[in-house]
Structure formats: C-alpha cells, structure tokens
Amino acid sequence: TGFYTFKPARLIDETGKNSAWAKLALKHRNFTDWYLDLQIDSARNLKVLNTTEKDNSIYYGVGYADGNCRIYGPLNQISMDINLKTRKNTQINLMYSEVEETSFGGGHVKFRARGINNPRNTFRKSEVGDGLYRINLFLEATPEAEAQFVIDKKLGDVIRGRGNGALRMLYDEN
C-alpha cells in the first residue's frame, strides 16, 4: 500500500489576489485502487466558476466565494463536500428549460427538462463506476451575487435577483 501526502500549497486565482490553501493525499494498493483526498481550505474571494454558455448550456457565469471543499474517494467514486459563501462580482445564469409555445395564451408558462429524458438514468452507476459518487453542496447566497433566470433568451425574458439565503444541493449515484 502506498501513501503520498503533499505539503499544503497556496492556490491563487487568475487575479493574483484571491487565494486558498490545498492539501493533497493519494493512496493506492500496488499502484491500483487509487484513492484521492483533496482538501481546499480558507478560500477568500476565490474565483470558483468561470464558464460561458458554450461550456454549459444549463448554467454558466462567474463566481467568487469564500469557503472550503473536500474532494475524496476512490477515483471511480469521487465524493465532494462543498461549503461556500458568495462574494462580490458573482453572476450566475440559470437557463430555464424550453418553453412550450402554446402555454403563453393561457397566461402561464410551462417548463420541461432540456435534454433529459429520465433523470434517474442520466447518471447510470456501472460496475467500474462513473467517477462521481456524491456531491453535498451548501451555498450561502449574499446580495453581492446576482442570479439570472433566463426564461426565453430570444425575447429577453429574464428574472434577475439578489438576496440572502441558503441553498443545499445533494446528489448521489442514484
């Protein structure tokens, strides 16, 4: 059994001003059955998201946050515990699903999932493992961040918001 630990390293984002500390440990059994343990602590105004609509059509934007996260587990079943608080200049765009054209006449809008036929089958667990086992996200939203819910991009139908709140999102292989 091998075990490798690395000295804590300071992570600095592209601004050169914002940072966090990372600790990494790798374990293995005769160079197979690799296990990862990455701990990121003391993030201060760190850029944690920098994507465009081309990168991800469901959500994209720029996100700055304080907090910590841990990414760990066998490489075929990675788990993530993420605890963040939004910071200034965070702007997240959430794309609503396709709008049914016939629903406008009735004074309401209906949404349906875009590109997902059956959410339970989207991430199928296999014998080898799909790589992602569990995500436990806790996000403290602050008025410094702005969320945009884009209902119809062509019509410019967007809901923008700022505020305080707590968002908890859990995902597992099922």
Side-chain angles (χ1 to χ4, degrees):
T1 301
F3 183 76
Y4 305 97
T5 60
F6 301 89
K7 290 182 180 181
R10 186 170 181 220
L11 302 176
I12 301 172
D13 69 12
E14 62 197 32
T15 67
K17 300 175 186 176
N18 310 320
S19 66
W21 285 94
K23 293 182 243 174
L24 174 64
L26 294 171
K27 301 176 190 177
H28 66 84
R29 184 177 304 136
N30 297 323
F31 295 99
T32 61
D33 300 325
W34 287 87
Y35 183 92
L36 169 74
D37 193 351
L38 173 63
Q39 179 74 40
I40 300 174
D41 290 310
S42 305
R44 297 287 174 252
N45 201 33
L46 191 71
K47 186 181 264 188
V48 295
L49 180 68
N50 189 19
T51 58
T52 66
E53 191 173 3
K54 285 183 179 180
D55 299 318
N56 187 331
S57 63
I58 297 172
Y59 72 91
Y60 61 93
V62 176
Y64 293 88
D66 294 344
N68 58 68
C69 77
R70 182 175 177 218
I71 303 169
Y72 59 97
L75 294 183
N76 63 347
Q77 291 185 324
I78 293 293
S79 293
M80 297 181 209
D81 294 327
I82 304 167
N83 184 11
L84 298 174
K85 179 179 180 179
T86 62
R87 293 291 304 260
K88 186 177 178 181
N89 297 322
T90 295
Q91 185 172 15
I92 306 298
N93 299 283
L94 302 167
M95 305 301 286
Y96 271 171
S97 302
E98 295 176 22
V99 178
E100 293 181 12
E101 292 179 18
T102 58
S103 63
F104 281 101
H108 62 279
V109 178
K110 295 180 182 177
F111 301 100
R112 61 186 168 96
R114 179 194 308 191
I116 298 175
N117 295 328
N118 183 350
R120 288 214 173 267
N121 292 332
T122 303
F123 297 101
R124 225 176 261 141
K125 190 175 179 181
S126 67
E127 277 184 40
V128 177
D130 292 333
L132 188 57
Y133 182 69
R134 185 181 63 79
I135 298 175
N136 180 16
L137 170 69
F138 179 80
L139 180 67
E140 182 183 342
T142 65
E144 294 177 313
E146 179 179 279
Q148 292 190 145
F149 298 97
V150 182
I151 297 170
D152 190 325
K153 191 173 182 177
K154 290 179 184 174
L155 294 175
D157 197 1
V158 176
I159 299 171
R160 288 181 179 85
R162 295 178 183 270
N164 292 307
L167 173 66
R168 178 134 190 239
M169 185 172 74
L170 299 171
Y171 164 84
D172 67 25
E173 78 281 10
N174 294 319

